[in-house]
Amino acid sequence: MSTTKPKRTSDVVIQDLGGEVLLYRAEDQAVHILNSTAQRIWELCDGEHTEEDMVQALKAGFTVPAEHDVAGDIRQTLECFADKGLLLDGCAN
């Protein structure tokens, strides 16, 4: 598991929609809607938390079956954030 501490870019406008969060990035005029799980991962992309920290936070905050690959879901979400330009370069490794 990566020891990188992902950090979100500062150019994203965040709007809470009650149950979902809307992210808007003016540079590419893109809108992204996050469910509660992706929202929690987004919040943890503060440059202070590793992927392992995120795994622990999601397991503590959500009901997750023991056999579920939480780390894989987090990696996939971070890759998606990075692909959309929502993380600082090199932060999703």
Side-chain angles (χ1 to χ4, degrees):
M1 182 159 298
S2 175
T3 58
T4 302
K5 296 178 179 179
K7 186 167 182 166
R8 56 189 174 261
T9 60
S10 60
D11 63 345
V12 177
V13 176
I14 304 166
Q15 178 67 44
D16 188 341
L17 303 175
E20 294 181 324
V21 169
L22 178 141
L23 304 180
Y24 174 73
R25 190 162 177 253
E27 181 178 321
D28 53 10
Q29 298 183 342
V31 174
H32 310 283
I33 305 292
L34 307 182
N35 65 21
S36 59
T37 308
Q39 175 187 355
R40 185 65 182 125
I41 296 168
W42 175 255
E43 291 167 351
L44 293 167
C45 290
D46 58 4
E48 300 294 322
H49 294 90
T50 64
E51 288 179 27
E52 181 58 31
D53 296 334
M54 293 178 188
V55 168
Q56 297 309 316
L58 265 63
K59 286 183 175 181
F62 295 91
T63 303
V64 181
E67 68 279 358
H68 189 79
D69 183 12
V70 176
D73 288 348
I74 290 170
R75 277 191 301 279
Q76 183 179 12
T77 302
L78 292 174
E79 287 173 10
C80 184
F81 288 165
D83 289 347
K84 295 180 183 311
L86 299 171
L87 296 178
L88 296 176
D89 289 340
C91 289
N93 301 348

